[in-house]
Amino acid sequence: MIGSSVVFRARSWTVLLLGSLTIASPAAFAADCPGHPDALGTSRTLVVDPHEHPRIGTMQYRETLPLRDHEVVLTFDDGPLPKYSNQVLQILAGECIKATFFIIGQQAKANPEGVRKLVAAGHTVGTHSMTHPLTMDRMPIDKAEAEINGGIEWTSAAMTDPSKLAPFFRIPGLMRADGVENYLISRGIQVWSADFPADDWRHVSPDRVYQLAVQRLEAKGKGILLLHDIQPRTVAALPKIIRDLKARGYRIVHVVPATADQPATPTTPVEWLLHPPTETTPIARWPQVPNFVFAQTATLPAPGLADLNAETAHQPRVLPRKTMAQADIASTLPAPGRDLFAIPEGSVEVLLSTTLSRRAATRLAMAAETPHAGKGKAGRIQARRTAASSAPKHAAQAKGTASRPTRLATSLKKRA
């Protein structure tokens, strides 16, 4: 008991220490942001391998990034557009936050300096097609490939070091298609969706963008937030979103691709689910049955009649021992004949089984066997007198039993 108490206290202190480190983590992140003591900061860097998990984002796919509770990944689409993208960069720099940007090829071609600023600030840069078409779910695959390749070509050309381009791609408008995704995956490019948007591309107010971002994040507890760095409402809402994330205890995660020098962060498959199932959570549907590849296609022969008529000694004992013994004995006895159960109609046994008085039934049977002198009406009168003289003399017996046996005897005499 003493030893278990010591272990329990040691574990309690460990939990308290880890909890204090978790609570103190925002201050630790802010310490890495010189000149900004109240900054949210970036809690950690997550390294992912696109080949292992090619599709992420629960808005469209089963898997998402392996985030812990209250962890957020900020993503921005459609840039760079200097007027607003530069302001977004300043806001993120003031909070020492690292994010992921999905670049449009035309924007990179028109503003290569904006792409270089993103790389210099340490952000992750992926691509978002060449012209941002909203028809990639139905366009010919050759046109889709041209859109993908054009965006990659112009974005990498804008960089001083093209190796800084991450193999991340987000389909414009999230208009996914199997052919597009298969092409991206064949090239080792990870397809990004999102876990929730803030609707900042719609005609809504900055306050509405802030409300949607926080409400949807609170509903899921963690995930990938989809924003756009080319919208003025995003620039106006972003500082308030960041302040609220810090007040609610959220942490920012920076995502980078795995390389030969930087392997993927160790994870388990269940961590790539937004809400992993637990033992107390019922399964909503049966798991999918895999398609097995059988080693042989030949089937076993059907059993013959000789196999079905096997001896009892070789049959499995599925019954109790007593029941098996009874079955063996019953199988050796001959079957009884039908005449064993035949009872002559009108016999004493029948009368005994249908009357209430054994003595009355016996007397009626004897009266029925007595020969009568005449036939017709005189004979019937004589039978009635004989039955009446043989009936019980006690009033109680005569009242309850005399009439019924008399009718039985009379009918028996008629059949005779």
Side-chain angles (χ1 to χ4, degrees):
M1 292 296 293
I2 296 176
S4 61
S5 177
V6 173
V7 173
F8 176 76
R9 290 177 182 177
R11 290 178 178 176
S12 301
W13 279 109
T14 303
V15 172
L16 290 175
L17 179 61
L18 292 175
S20 63
L21 290 175
T22 303
I23 296 174
S25 57
F29 305 151
D32 298 333
C33 191
H36 302 275
D38 297 329
L40 177 58
T42 300
S43 65
R44 68 185 179 108
T45 299
L46 177 64
V47 185
V48 300
D49 186 351
H51 296 90
E52 295 181 355
H53 301 274
R55 302 177 181 88
I56 57 172
T58 54
M59 286 183 66
Q60 294 175 295
Y61 308 119
R62 178 174 179 268
E63 291 187 335
T64 188
L65 291 173
L67 302 177
R68 302 163 189 161
D69 187 45
H70 275 63
E71 286 189 339
V72 187
V73 174
L74 298 182
T75 63
F76 296 88
D77 290 3
D78 298 354
L81 190 63
K83 182 178 180 179
Y84 302 114
S85 298
N86 290 339
Q87 296 181 63
V88 170
L89 275 178
Q90 292 176 0
I91 295 171
L92 297 178
E95 297 287 343
C96 290
I97 291 175
K98 297 295 186 288
T100 301
F101 290 81
F102 293 94
I103 306 301
I104 294 178
Q106 284 186 342
Q107 301 283 55
K109 182 179 179 180
N111 183 30
E113 183 63 24
V115 177
R116 289 191 285 270
K117 285 182 179 180
L118 294 174
V119 177
H123 298 290
T124 299
V125 177
T127 55
H128 196 41
S129 79
M130 182 63 188
T131 63
H132 197 281
L134 296 177
T135 56
M136 291 194 72
D137 59 332
R138 55 186 184 275
M139 68 170 49
I141 189 61
D142 55 342
K143 289 192 61 177
E145 292 177 4
E147 282 286 341
I148 295 169
N149 297 333
I152 294 174
E153 178 183 351
W154 283 103
T155 303
S156 59
M159 297 179 173
T160 304
D161 182 5
S163 65
K164 295 296 183 181
L165 180 62
F168 299 160
F169 185 88
R170 178 173 279 159
I171 300 175
L174 304 182
M175 308 300 289
R176 61 162 301 276
D178 291 338
V180 175
E181 292 173 359
N182 293 336
Y183 175 73
L184 291 166
I185 294 171
S186 68
R187 293 191 53 180
I189 300 174
Q190 191 174 48
V191 183
W192 280 54
S193 182
D195 292 316
F196 51 93
D199 292 2
D200 57 341
W201 71 92
R202 302 183 185 275
H203 295 288
V204 297
S205 65
D207 190 61
R208 184 57 178 163
V209 172
Y210 152 75
Q211 291 175 358
L212 291 175
V214 174
Q215 289 174 2
R216 292 169 178 174
L217 175 57
E218 285 282 274
K220 294 199 171 183
K222 60 181 179 180
I224 305 169
L225 174 59
L226 172 58
L227 296 168
H228 297 78
D229 60 316
I230 64 170
Q231 299 292 343
R233 60 183 66 87
T234 307
V235 175
L238 187 58
K240 192 174 181 180
I241 293 175
I242 294 174
R243 287 195 301 268
D244 213 3
L245 292 180
K246 183 178 180 181
R248 295 172 184 264
Y250 286 92
R251 301 174 300 277
I252 301 297
V253 175
H254 182 210
V255 184
V256 298
T259 61
D261 300 329
Q262 191 175 21
T265 302
T267 58
T268 59
V270 73
E271 293 181 76
W272 291 78
L273 304 177
L274 184 65
H275 297 295
T278 63
E279 294 182 356
T280 58
T281 303
I283 299 176
R285 57 183 179 273
W286 288 102
Q288 184 177 3
V289 179
N291 295 324
F292 292 103
V293 178
F294 296 97
Q296 296 180 356
T297 58
T299 59
L300 296 175
L305 293 178
D307 299 329
L308 300 178
N309 296 328
E311 296 182 2
T312 308
H314 300 288
Q315 293 179 356
R317 290 187 173 273
V318 296
L319 297 175
R321 293 182 178 274
K322 184 177 180 181
T323 308
M324 291 287 292
Q326 293 175 352
D328 294 339
I329 294 174
S331 62
T332 59
L333 295 177
R338 296 184 60 183
D339 56 349
L340 182 63
F341 303 98
I343 300 177
E345 190 173 356
S347 63
V348 177
E349 289 80 359
V350 175
L351 294 174
L352 289 175
S353 64
T354 57
T355 59
L356 300 177
S357 173
R358 187 182 300 271
R359 177 180 295 181
T362 304
R363 290 177 179 176
L364 289 174
M366 293 175 61
E369 294 176 357
T370 301
H372 301 289
K375 296 183 179 179
K377 185 175 181 180
R380 288 195 297 272
I381 294 174
Q382 181 65 29
R384 292 195 192 100
R385 290 176 181 176
T386 303
S389 62
S390 62
K393 296 182 179 181
H394 297 287
Q397 294 180 352
K399 184 178 181 180
T401 61
S403 59
R404 186 177 178 185
T406 301
R407 288 195 298 270
L408 290 172
T410 303
S411 62
L412 183 62
K413 179 181 177 183
K414 289 180 178 180
R415 284 195 296 271

